[in-house]
Amino acid sequence: MKTEKPEYGIVLSGGGARGLAHIGVLAALEEHGISPALVSGSSMGSVVGAFYAAGTSIDEMLAIAKNRKLYKLFNWNFPKRGGMLSLEILHQVLQEHIPEDSFRALKKKLFVSVSNISAGKHEIISKGKLFQAVMASSSIPIIFEPQIIKGQTYVDGGLFNDLPVEPLVGKCGTIIASHVNYNGPDPKLSSIRAIAERVYRLAIYQHVEKNFNKCDFIIDPPELREHSIFDFKHINKLYEIGYRSAEAMIRKMQEPKGKKPVIIREHQ
């Protein structure tokens, strides 16, 4: 028997704290009856994606972000394997809120983007143990200690593929992308940290831009560049930007669509 393709799939980029905007995007979609059955994520996109795929409600996700204060989840730790921060508390939070450490137990199909720096290649993990895959995808090089899986060293999925749309191509009717690392001109580079982050994002954007062409609708809010990857104190604002941007995209979805992807950067 031929199985019908799901109507929607969604890909969630990395971006640290900016990735909390994904929760707002998912909230708007759910309110309009759009519930992606396929989810692909990198870094913070994989964290939000894992909770969403596990059936965690929008309110629960916000409560986890606010009550546990994500900016305190990362323990300062002496580098063990080349990183500065430990992701152990992230592991504990995943354990507390997702019943089983398994991709198979999820309610939606999830694909997690990771970078295998031992082999020097990008990989997608979609089966087996869930928590370490998400932690590996979130391990920003130098900042977080890498994850060792089956003898291979893994770091941030965004290093090689920050918008992992490939697992969704041909498997659903409409692909929605939530990209939280707008890379237009930025004249406000006034600190070393801002410059370092800008350089990193510009480097990985080359692949992201190519993947835009594989999506149908892309949310890419310029406002998010005002927030750093550690700006967890502005959870409500980040959520609101994602929510309003998704609302604008939903309005566009009701209009006739051409062959090119529709990119949403305004939400008025």
Side-chain angles (χ1 to χ4, degrees):
M1 182 182 292
K2 188 175 179 181
T3 304
E4 283 190 27
K5 290 192 297 188
E7 188 171 359
Y8 296 103
I10 190 164
V11 53
L12 309 173
S13 78
R18 290 193 296 266
L20 297 176
H22 295 320
I23 303 175
V25 169
L26 293 170
L29 293 178
E30 290 286 340
E31 284 181 15
H32 287 269
I34 299 172
S35 184
L38 304 179
V39 185
S40 184
S42 180
S43 203
M44 182 57 82
S46 76
V47 176
V48 174
F51 282 121
Y52 184 61
T56 308
S57 71
I58 300 301
D59 287 343
E60 287 175 306
M61 280 192 269
L62 278 175
I64 292 167
K66 291 177 180 179
N67 294 342
R68 295 303 301 262
K69 297 184 179 179
L70 282 179
Y71 53 91
K72 290 185 178 179
L73 285 182
F74 306 115
N75 277 342
W76 281 101
N77 201 7
F78 187 83
K80 293 180 181 177
R81 298 193 183 97
M84 294 175 67
L85 296 172
S86 168
L87 287 168
E88 180 54 33
I89 298 183
L90 174 58
H91 180 265
Q92 292 173 16
V93 171
L94 290 169
Q95 223 171 15
E96 288 174 18
H97 296 279
I98 296 179
E100 190 174 337
D101 183 12
S102 168
F103 278 87
R104 182 180 295 179
L106 296 173
K107 296 179 180 179
K108 296 174 183 286
K109 182 65 176 175
L110 175 69
F111 303 91
V112 172
S113 172
V114 293
S115 298
N116 182 336
I117 58 173
S118 294
K121 64 179 183 179
H122 170 254
E123 295 177 11
I124 292 289
I125 301 178
S126 60
K127 60 183 180 180
K129 296 287 187 179
L130 172 66
F131 300 157
Q132 194 172 29
V134 173
M135 290 169 67
S137 186
S138 304
S139 300
I140 301 172
I142 309 301
I143 297 175
F144 298 115
E145 59 185 35
Q147 299 296 306
I148 308 300
I149 303 175
K150 296 180 180 177
Q152 300 287 293
T153 301
Y154 288 87
V155 297
D156 187 4
L159 180 64
F160 293 147
N161 192 347
D162 200 42
L163 197 73
V165 67
E166 292 85 352
L168 307 186
V169 175
K171 294 180 181 175
C172 57
T174 300
I175 297 176
I176 298 167
S178 179
H179 181 248
V180 298
N181 303 306
Y182 177 73
N183 272 293
D186 189 352
K188 299 178 181 179
L189 298 173
S190 56
S191 70
I192 293 295
R193 189 172 74 174
I195 291 171
E197 186 178 337
R198 174 73 167 166
V199 169
Y200 182 68
R201 290 298 165 196
L202 284 173
I204 66 176
Y205 187 65
Q206 308 309 309
H207 192 274
V208 167
E209 196 169 27
K210 291 177 184 177
N211 274 2
F212 276 179
N213 292 324
K214 300 172 187 175
C215 303
D216 296 292
F217 295 90
I218 301 147
I219 295 168
D220 189 27
E223 286 174 83
L224 288 175
R225 70 179 173 190
E226 298 172 10
H227 302 273
S228 77
I229 61 172
F230 291 109
D231 193 8
F232 289 98
K233 62 184 177 291
H234 288 130
I235 293 172
N236 287 339
K237 188 173 181 182
L238 294 164
Y239 171 91
E240 189 62 24
I241 291 171
Y243 182 89
R244 288 186 284 119
S245 297
E247 287 269 287
M249 182 201 70
I250 291 164
R251 291 194 292 272
K252 283 287 184 182
M253 291 175 82
Q254 296 167 1
E255 300 175 4
K257 184 183 178 298
K259 294 182 179 180
K260 292 184 178 180
V262 176
I263 302 179
I264 307 298
R265 293 195 172 110
E266 302 293 333
H267 48 65
Q268 301 301 327

